[in-house]
Amino acid sequence: MLALVMLINRSGSMVLPFLGVYMTTHLHFSIENTGIVLSFFGIGSVIGSWLGGYITDKVGEYKVQYVSLLLSVPLFCLIPIFKTEVGVALIILLQSIVSDAFRPANSVAITKYAKPENITRAFSLNRMAVNLGFSIGPALGGILSAISYEFLFYSNALAALLAGLLYISFFYNRNKLAKIKAKKVKEVIEIKKENSPYFDGKFLIYCLFCMLFSICFFQLFSTLTIFYKDTAHLSQQNIGFILGYSGFLVVLLEMGLVQIAEKYFSLAITMLIGTFICGFSYAMLAFDYSLIALLISMTLLCIGEIWTLPFMSTITALRSGENNKGAYMGLNGISFSIAFIITPYLGTLIAEKFGFNILWIGTGILATIIAIGFYFIVPWMIKDKKV
């Protein structure tokens, strides 16, 4: 049911990939100003991830999730009203804070309901829901944006509302029962005080590398769509279809590839391979951007994503304790959110000053360095934890 809620919510995930195109073509912002405005999404994501993790440890993941979903509804509807760089930046900032408070709470809910031996597959199931929704959303978004960008924002609002209502209807009574059980456990077991992730040196280094990886990967949501439009000369519908293809491919391959990685590879090897493949998928765009090359690149990016992102959540869960999972998930989420701040501005700046070829080659080189870093950091970080 957590995955189903995520599926409905992410089926409306047609706004983010088209924000860059929306601002450059509809609002006529410059590419550089578009990158700056998109960075406010990342700033809101940092605040939301921290706030969501903090509040989750205080009041539980149930309240944080349904409040985040329902508050997103009016905020999505307000976005089309704003037409200036400052106005769009502020509403995106607020909407991002509310939406991203959902993520650490959702991750804690997965660790709560999943069996320990199935935790990576549980995260993968949730990501399958995200990607299935992401395969539906952008494909539909490409069609709707050609008619009216307002449809994008209203559709996202409707999806958030449906997801919120479904979540409340299914988990309301289950959350009450879980509270009663937790209260009984606290009466007989002394709760161990656990350290804050913000003072966990090894985990902070790991999060730094997660952030650097995200800077490479999140080109997907900012500069890549602009590259498709301006350099590869794809229509908005074709951009939507390629993004939809990526989500559909992840849905088809993720569970199988995750099981292969769990069976044959260590966590360090999996992260090494996945990160390197992501970097290579971008680097190849510097040499060929025909439609076939774009599809091959996106296919490789999906495979690399599968062997990286769900395992990041698993490693975070292994490093955390029993009573500070929200804080750990929140801090790891912040590493992604900081990347959302840096990526749009840095990516569009490099593309405008030096060209997309330099951007893609640089992304490939950086991802290769990060892959090697993960290979050494992951065993060092979890060797003193029971796996």
Side-chain angles (χ1 to χ4, degrees), residues 4-31:
L4 181 59
V5 169
M6 184 65 79
L7 170 62
I8 296 171
N9 187 32
R10 291 303 176 182
S11 292
S13 62
M14 56 191 75
V15 170
L16 183 57
F18 286 94
L19 275 177
V21 179
Y22 167 71
M23 285 185 278
T24 55
T25 61
H26 187 71
L27 300 181
H28 307 294
F29 296 173
S30 69
I31 291 179

Side-chain angles (χ1 to χ4, degrees), residues 8-27 72-81 95 133-134 136-161 225 236-237 239-241 243:
I8 296 171
N9 187 32
R10 291 303 176 182
S11 292
S13 62
M14 56 191 75
V15 170
L16 183 57
F18 286 94
L19 275 177
V21 179
Y22 167 71
M23 285 185 278
T24 55
T25 61
H26 187 71
L27 300 181
S72 294
V73 176
L75 293 174
F76 277 123
C77 293
L78 288 173
I79 293 176
I81 296 174
Q95 194 278 327
F134 194 68
I136 298 169
L140 183 60
I143 297 170
L144 292 178
S145 65
I147 304 170
S148 169
Y149 278 104
E150 281 75 9
F151 282 119
L152 293 177
F153 304 112
Y154 298 146
S155 297
N156 227 119
L158 178 61
L161 177 62
T225 52
Q236 288 166 215
Q237 289 93 331
I239 293 173
F241 289 142
L243 295 176

Side-chain angles (χ1 to χ4, degrees), residues 143-196:
I143 297 170
L144 292 178
S145 65
I147 304 170
S148 169
Y149 278 104
E150 281 75 9
F151 282 119
L152 293 177
F153 304 112
Y154 298 146
S155 297
N156 227 119
L158 178 61
L161 177 62
L162 292 175
L165 294 177
L166 178 64
Y167 179 78
I168 292 170
S169 66
F170 187 82
F171 285 99
Y172 177 73
N173 288 327
R174 286 165 177 79
N175 182 64
K176 289 172 69 174
L177 291 173
K179 275 187 175 180
I180 294 171
K181 289 180 181 178
K183 186 176 180 181
K184 289 180 179 178
V185 169
K186 285 182 180 180
E187 289 174 356
V188 296
I189 300 176
E190 182 181 355
I191 302 299
K192 180 184 176 183
K193 183 174 176 60
E194 292 171 324
N195 294 328
S196 166

Side-chain angles (χ1 to χ4, degrees), residues 53 90 99 140 161 171 187 239 259 265-266 271-272 316 365:
L90 289 177
S99 292
L140 183 60
L161 177 62
F171 285 99
E187 289 174 356
I239 293 173
Q259 289 192 0
F265 304 147
S266 66
M271 296 291 285
L272 171 71
T316 301
I365 293 171

Side-chain angles (χ1 to χ4, degrees), residues 10 14 39-40 51 59-60 67 74 99 120 141 184 195 200 216 227 301 323 346:
R10 291 303 176 182
M14 56 191 75
S39 294
F40 277 82
L51 193 62
V59 303
V67 169
S99 292
T120 300
K184 289 180 179 178
N195 294 328
D200 185 341
C216 297
F227 171 77
L301 184 63
N323 303 307
L346 182 62

Side-chain angles (χ1 to χ4, degrees), residues 111 114-120 318:
T111 64
K115 295 178 181 178
E117 63 272 18
N118 290 335
I119 190 165
T120 300
L318 289 172

Side-chain angles (χ1 to χ4, degrees), residues 83-325:
K83 304 295 183 182
T84 66
E85 284 94 338
V86 174
V88 175
L90 289 177
I91 190 63
I92 286 177
L93 173 69
L94 185 57
Q95 194 278 327
S96 179
I97 291 172
V98 172
S99 292
D100 278 281
F102 177 84
R103 290 194 293 122
N106 184 257
S107 296
V108 170
I110 292 170
T111 64
K112 175 181 175 181
Y113 290 108
K115 295 178 181 178
E117 63 272 18
N118 290 335
I119 190 165
T120 300
R121 275 168 279 181
F123 279 114
S124 293
L125 177 64
N126 216 43
R127 273 178 35 77
M128 280 179 63
V130 171
N131 284 287
L132 182 57
F134 194 68
S135 68
I136 298 169
L140 183 60
I143 297 170
L144 292 178
S145 65
I147 304 170
S148 169
Y149 278 104
E150 281 75 9
F151 282 119
L152 293 177
F153 304 112
Y154 298 146
S155 297
N156 227 119
L158 178 61
L161 177 62
L162 292 175
L165 294 177
L166 178 64
Y167 179 78
I168 292 170
S169 66
F170 187 82
F171 285 99
Y172 177 73
N173 288 327
R174 286 165 177 79
N175 182 64
K176 289 172 69 174
L177 291 173
K179 275 187 175 180
I180 294 171
K181 289 180 181 178
K183 186 176 180 181
K184 289 180 179 178
V185 169
K186 285 182 180 180
E187 289 174 356
V188 296
I189 300 176
E190 182 181 355
I191 302 299
K192 180 184 176 183
K193 183 174 176 60
E194 292 171 324
N195 294 328
S196 166
Y198 296 91
F199 296 99
D200 185 341
K202 291 182 179 180
F203 187 68
L204 289 172
I205 294 173
Y206 169 72
C207 285
L208 173 63
F209 273 79
C210 289
M211 181 196 73
L212 292 174
F213 168 80
S214 301
I215 289 173
C216 297
F217 179 73
F218 287 157
Q219 304 291 334
L220 173 65
F221 299 113
S222 53
T223 45
L224 187 60
T225 52
I226 297 173
F227 171 77
Y228 284 163
K229 182 79 173 175
D230 293 348
T231 304
H233 304 296
L234 297 183
S235 66
Q236 288 166 215
Q237 289 93 331
N238 285 338
I239 293 173
F241 289 142
I242 288 182
L243 295 176
Y245 162 77
S246 73
F248 182 68
L249 190 65
V250 171
V251 171
L252 286 179
L253 299 180
E254 177 145 356
M255 294 302 282
L257 289 178
V258 164
Q259 289 192 0
I260 289 171
E262 286 184 324
K263 186 173 181 180
Y264 297 106
F265 304 147
S266 66
L267 284 172
I269 291 291
T270 303
M271 296 291 285
L272 171 71
I273 296 173
T275 305
F276 175 77
I277 292 175
C278 284
F280 181 78
S281 72
Y282 281 114
M284 65 177 289
L285 295 176
F287 304 97
D288 187 4
Y289 48 85
S290 64
L291 185 58
I292 293 175
L294 296 180
L295 288 172
I296 293 172
S297 170
M298 185 58 76
T299 300
L300 291 174
L301 184 63
C302 291
I303 294 171
E305 171 192 349
I306 289 169
W307 275 346
T308 307
L309 291 180
F311 292 93
M312 284 183 178
S313 299
T314 301
I315 292 165
T316 301
L318 289 172
R319 184 68 186 176
S320 67
E322 288 298 319
N323 303 307
N324 58 5
K325 288 189 185 298

